[in-house]
Amino acid sequence: MEFASPTMLLVGGALAVLIPVLIQLFNRTRFQITQWAAMEFLLAALKKTRKRVRLENLLLLLLRILVLAFVALMLARPSIEGSVPLPQKTHLVVVLDNSYSTGARTDGREAFERAKDLIEASINAPEFVDGSAISLFLTSETLADYGRDDDERTRDEDDEGDETDDVDVEYDPEQEEVALRRIRDLRAQLEAARETLDAAEEAYEEERGRDTPQSQRLARLQEEIDEAQAEIEIYTRRLADSQAELIQLRQGAPDTAPRGDDGDVRIDPAALSTTERETVMRKLRDAELSLVPADWGITFSLVEKALESSAEAFESKQVVVVTDMQAINFPEAEDSEDVDAYRDQLEGIVEAAGGTSSGLVRFVDVGGFALNRTLVDVQPSDHVVGVGVPIKLTVTVANYSRMEGTGTAAQNTFRLRYSIDGGRERDLPPIEDVRPGQTRTVELADALPPFNTPGTYVIEVMVDEDDDDLPVDNRRAFVIEVRDAIEVLAVDGSPGRNPVESELFYFNLAVPFVSNLEELRNDPSYVPKTVVRARSTTVDNIVGINFYDYDVVLLANVQAMPPSTVSQLARYVEAGGSVVVTLGRHIDRLFYNETMFQSGLMPVRVGEPIFPPENESAVSIEPVRPWHRSVADMAEHDEMDPNAQQLTPVRVYQAWGVEWPEVERRELRRIVDLMREDESGRPHPLLFGSRLGRGEVVVYTSPLDGRWRQHDPFERGNNFMATRSYVKFWHEMLYALADTGSDFAHLKVGEAYRRPISADEFSQNNFIFPPGANPEDLSSGEQVTLRNQTGTEQAHAYRGELYFADTHELGAYTVRIFQHRDALRALVRDVIEDEPGVESVVRRELVEQVTNLLLNYAEQPGDARREALEELLADSLEGAEMEPVRQALASRLYASSEPLLARSAEEEENGGARVITDRFAVNLDTVGSDLRRIDEDWFNELHEELPVTLRSIAEEEGEQEESFVPQRSRIWKFVAMVLLIFLAVEMLLATVLTRRQR
Amino acid sequence: MRDDASISTKYLDPQVLNQIQHLEVKARMIVAGYLAGLHKSPYHGFSVEFAEHREYVPGDELKHLDWKVYAKSDRFYIKQYEEETNFRAHILLDTSESMLFQSDKSLPSKLEYGKCIAASLAYLIQQQQDAVGLYPFHHKIYKTIQPSTHRNKLMDMMRVLENPEIGKDTNVGPVLQQVAGQVGRRGIVILISDLFNPPKRFQEGLAQLIAKRHDVIVFHLFDRAELTFPFERLTKFEGLEKYDDLLLDPRPLRKAYLEEVEQFTSEIRRVCLKTRADYTLVDTATKLDVVLSTYLSTRAGEKKGA
């Protein structure tokens, strides 16, 4: 027999002897006095009973001693070969912070491992007999969540084989996957909405802080804030719904519904939460550090649900949060709303746990750290780079150490290295003297050698890991695309009689100007090499042009185009191309509002001109989305007003208003607003855009020429486009548009890789290779399926999406799409069969895609292709409404100008399959690297009047050794119970003894 | 006597009685209450009863001549009455310290109760024109009031009873022997005591009294607590008379104690039965009519036997 707290045995033993004796002595001081005459009989009786009374007294003493000794024994928590007595059935909910910062080493051990040991000890502690339950929650997602270990799941099913027979387990891992994805999407949307809110609030505050705040602008900002808040609310609700759904799904999951021997099925909500001790132990041992930041809000809501669902079964409930107490996980002091929300959540938990005793929620601090140097960010000047152009890097490093290190760390020097495509590591210039607590951003010009071969490259930058307790945040990767040039097709809608009159006159002056904007910015004498290669054409010559040869197509004041050209252009954008539309005085509004709008190339319809040429007054312009690359730098380096940080005031001589759609499926992204409002109070955007498939459309509502010819283009204060800003603007815009893929290619860890897939990428064989895997070896990749082929609103109609959630490793991933015609055929058929309710227009579009693809794969030109197509359509499409579609397809088959046709020869070289390779980089969100811990005062203030305690892990570990009772909150209950037992025994003794006398 | 008859029977209750100070009043109350409660009893109107006639001899008081008989028979006959049996009652009251025990303040102590018995009996007896004497004692008889029918003597008795001498010891046996020696004529001896003495000694004294053909009535007095031993808590018993204090837990002792008491009383009872003494066990909560009835039944028996 072992005792968890032997001291209790000693104390209890002493008490066991002392207390009864004291009781006896105490009793002897309390007696009544009476005179007595019949003493003789009393003496006789006494003589007769003396022996027996003495015996009885001894027995009483012995019993009292035994009761106390038993209590002492219980308190000492003895254990005999695993069988343990339990004071109470407890539901212990453990929240384990597995964000990567808990991987920091203290005293040579990872805090995370230490925390695991502590929890394991708790689970093995004698307090937890059968009937007690433990739920384990991790604050961050890990790989283990996603059922990747199918073997394990199968094994579980086998183990429980017989027992599960009578339980109808309806568990579909695919559904779970879907639910998980939805949750992630919602989280991402939530995050975006929060960003919008933050920006709007910031702008609002700024405006209000001015001397003369503009009420209109304030109202508009307020409106934006309201919108964002409403959005946040919606997303939050949806998120909660999805989580509830996930919980339901998982309740049916075999390894989350363990059964005890008593046949009682206990189900806990989250996948990582389980009440079965063995399962918890396994989950605990398997728990990994996650690189995804901790999500406390969601974890706490899961905790609350878990506590609620176990409402009746347990006598006591307790929540233990094992964390490194990073300040980032708690609301900041000044932000009262966050504080309220946080407190509400904790109160919910306390209520669900049904108690207010102190220590109900226990934070266990596993923090404590020494040195951490972090590579916060690395950005190339552009993600699309011209061949032979040196690449400049902007590197941000932070020294999050809380003390001076030793060795190299002592010099506070960040030694940087880089590698290209996982090749040899090379040195970068070091960053000197970054003291603990400091963050430094450094621009490293000519840091990387120029690339001479076009292609996609993954570049990884590392900080030396010596003397770093948390090495995981010391590397970052990014993807750059090296090109010969950015090809721009500029369609001049108003060529004029001589070049000066051309709509493109100033554009053509500006675009070949530079290849390196930074040089332009800093050194006026810089003679640039051009990387933007613009080719001008007119609408008359547009038919027959292969848009796929260009990165960007500019429609400058184009009156109208043939519908076929428009649909070609739309497909080109969906496949990743970009279109810029500028609206001059020649445009045909009907064309733009009907043909262009329906094809998706116009996010909104064109309204009335809001600034007729006669009106020359200046208007203010402000960037609505200053983070959009095309204007971000403009806001910072506006040469008109370097201090204003805004594009104001400038003059715009003519602009088109837009008709604000009431319900708009297409996302309108306002980039720059004009400060001119319509009746509804909405400002009209000067610059806006929207995504269409993989590509992007940007509309500029003012002409490119305007009245430029009347002014010196480089004269200040004329028009913001008439300066070097104009040159810069176009370069930023063209780089941004040529680089539409880079949005998809740079992810935070845990963020899903989701890329709209163009029709010609349709395939059933898509593989993603995590960092380190060999893209040539298909077994090392993860096969991903296309998501939602018929599309959702967000995914823009029928275009499918390549979706991959499991981005939990840092570094560069490779995507390979193996495209076969048979796969396509089956896919199309599946889609049509699975989606009986698909709109006929969607089918029509789908069939159009198939047509293109078939042309792409055709082995023979001519009638054979038509036969193949007819065969496929006969297989796939039935119903009268398809007849016109078929006819339309038939006519299109003979369009010799089909640009896709040109590609077939290239693909034949690849054994019939077309292989598309893409790459993306996953980086750490270093928000958790700043190991700033919550101030203890603030912690106490935050948890004021809540039954929350904070203890260090050292204290906890000490308590494991010799704890008095399992939880302090239970001590009074426990003592009361002991007293009750004692009293009951006393009363029993008293009645037994006196009854015998009567 | 109309006043007396109106007095309720409540004065037979020792609890009520305990509130009355004056002993003589008490005695009258008791007797009056008793008689009021017994107005249909066969003993009613027994006070002076005609016994027999005998021939007049010179020296007899003329007031006792039965003139009606003389008128019929021309002879002198004397009416012989009960009073002329010369009945004497001797009341022996134990005033030792043990009699002071009083467990309940609402009830009289044994001594108080005994005094009531003595006084009311004396009163009753004198009311019947019989002679009554009082012998208070502890280890010895310390005062003697010879039997008399005179009312002055009754007042003396009351006075003695009011101020008894408390003795440290009891000696029932020798006292009884002493009484047997002193009292020549046959009479009724009424013993009021807790008899906390060896029963053997008591038996010896009793035997002598019986031998002199006295009728003996024993009122064996107990406090209620002495019979039930109702103590639940640790108690310090302060011994009366010669005993020391004793601190003990009464609960485990109760059974043995009650056995002892039972044994004692049954022994006394046995002794009385054997000697044909009339034995009555009285506790201080007993109503006094029991006591008076006992006396009167004995008295009636004695008359029949005579």
Side-chain angles (χ1 to χ4, degrees), chain A residues 27-49 52-53 56-57 990 994 996-998, chain B residues 98 101 110 196 225-226 229 231-240 243-244 246-248 251-253 255-257 259-261 264:
Chain A
N27 277 346
R28 285 201 87 80
T29 63
R30 293 166 56 248
F31 52 82
Q32 58 183 12
I33 298 174
T34 181
Q35 289 191 326
W36 194 247
M39 204 55 119
E40 205 180 329
F41 311 129
L42 201 56
L43 287 172
L46 190 63
K47 201 173 165 186
K48 225 158 73 176
T49 57
R52 214 189 61 219
V53 168
E56 273 174 3
N57 273 340
T994 47
R996 275 175 48 203
Q997 298 304 320
R998 274 176 184 149
Chain B
S98 66
F101 178 64
K110 285 191 286 185
F196 283 173
E226 286 170 329
F229 206 62
F231 305 99
E232 293 291 345
R233 289 171 51 200
L234 190 73
T235 309
K236 187 177 182 184
F237 295 97
E238 291 180 344
L240 295 169
Y243 294 101
D244 291 328
L246 197 60
L247 178 67
L248 45 79
R251 281 167 294 186
L253 280 172
K255 199 180 168 197
Y257 171 84
E259 275 169 17
E260 284 293 319
V261 171
F264 172 67

Side-chain angles (χ1 to χ4, degrees), chain B residues 111-156:
Chain B
L111 182 60
E112 209 60 46
Y113 194 87
K115 277 153 73 180
C116 283
I117 296 174
S120 51
L121 281 178
Y123 187 78
L124 183 67
I125 290 164
Q126 214 185 40
Q127 284 280 50
Q128 292 173 313
Q129 311 297 323
D130 286 333
V132 61
L134 179 68
Y135 305 87
F137 71 93
H138 30 83
H139 60 271
K140 61 172 181 109
I141 296 170
Y142 59 85
K143 182 92 182 177
T144 304
I145 295 175
Q146 289 294 339
S148 163
T149 54
H150 212 278
R151 188 168 163 79
N152 286 348
K153 288 288 181 183
L154 185 66
M155 287 299 115
D156 286 348

Side-chain angles (χ1 to χ4, degrees), chain A residues 93 300 303 307 317-321 342-364 939-951 956 967-970:
Chain A
V93 178
F300 275 175
V303 166
L307 287 169
K317 299 181 184 186
Q318 199 170 31
V319 181
V320 178
V321 184
Y342 176 84
R343 284 184 60 96
D344 282 352
Q345 237 180 349
L346 269 183
E347 276 162 15
I349 286 174
V350 169
E351 196 181 320
T356 51
S357 53
S358 75
L360 188 75
V361 180
R362 192 155 40 122
F363 280 83
V364 178
F939 180 88
N940 291 333
E941 196 182 321
L942 195 60
H943 299 94
E944 212 172 11
E945 289 169 18
L946 285 170
V948 172
T949 53
L950 169 62
R951 313 188 58 185
E956 282 288 318
Q967 280 90 30
R968 285 184 293 175
S969 63
R970 281 209 239 132

Side-chain angles (χ1 to χ4, degrees), chain A residues 10 167 190 194 234 286 296 336 347 365 447 578 603 611 761 858:
Chain A
L10 285 175
V167 181
L190 197 57
R194 283 195 181 129
I234 289 167
D286 291 350
W296 283 49
S336 66
E347 276 162 15
D365 181 4
S578 293
F611 288 105
E761 287 176 336

Side-chain angles (χ1 to χ4, degrees), chain A residues 569-583:
Chain A
L569 204 54
R571 281 202 302 279
Y572 153 79
V573 175
E574 282 154 6
S578 293
V579 167
V580 184
V581 180
T582 68
L583 303 176

